[in-house]
Amino acid sequence: PGDICASCHMRDACPDQTSCLHLVASAGSSKETGDEWTNLDGFFRRFPIGVRKVGKIASTAEPIEVPEITSQPHWIARLDWATAEGIRAFGGQPLVHQGKVLGVLAVFTRACLGEENLTWMRMIADHAAAAIANARAFEEIERLKGQLELERDYLRDEVLEAHGFVDI
């Protein structure tokens, strides 16, 4: 929360500068320039919860599909970019684990997504959410293990000292 609010392009739209998703992966290439879209520090590197498509998916835990962006241009922040790049559709799925949204999987595409691709996105989002939850659980287990080791060492030293086995 609040880590890069001062330089965030969406600051004015952000309700409270506390809850944002951070872009952690990006892929694709420009039809216009051939540039690779792999950087993580672009204009849309943060998505305030509840703002625009990605933020709405995160706040509602509901997927969004825009099958034809020209029919719903209010969902597109940079319609000129989308038009120039031949972007036709958008799809986004929440990454939900045990009722908590951990992130959003979203794509812009130059072709119709279709039901089959949306189903694949749902499956990938579910697996990604489980992987994130497992990684967080592993980190917590490691933290607790370290804490227990410190407590064990402290108690061992206390017992040894109480029985006179340690020089003070």
Side-chain angles (χ1 to χ4, degrees), residues 65-97:
E65 178 193 9
V66 181
E68 190 61 53
I69 63 167
T70 56
S71 68
Q72 299 180 40
H74 65 282
W75 278 118
I76 306 301
R78 294 180 47 211
L79 189 57
D80 57 332
W81 165 81
T83 303
E85 290 294 341
I87 303 297
R88 289 189 53 203
F90 169 86
Q93 293 279 356
L95 279 62
V96 180
H97 183 75

Side-chain angles (χ1 to χ4, degrees), residues 93-97 105 119-132:
Q93 293 279 356
L95 279 62
V96 180
H97 183 75
L105 172 64
T119 300
W120 278 104
M121 280 184 69
R122 175 74 264 139
M123 184 186 68
I124 292 167
D126 289 343
H127 284 276
I132 291 168

Side-chain angles (χ1 to χ4, degrees), residues 12-74:
D12 293 338
C14 189
D16 58 11
Q17 283 85 46
T18 60
S19 298
C20 286
L21 296 175
H22 292 244
L23 181 65
V24 296
S26 181
S29 61
S30 172
K31 185 172 101 174
E32 291 284 303
T33 65
D35 292 343
E36 292 293 317
W37 295 329
T38 57
N39 67 329
L40 303 179
D41 59 354
F43 193 84
F44 295 103
R45 69 184 178 271
R46 285 175 48 112
F47 302 89
I49 305 298
V51 177
R52 307 214 53 81
K53 295 177 299 303
V54 171
K56 181 149 177 88
I57 293 167
S59 69
T60 64
E62 295 292 328
I64 291 178
E65 178 193 9
V66 181
E68 190 61 53
I69 63 167
T70 56
S71 68
Q72 299 180 40
H74 65 282

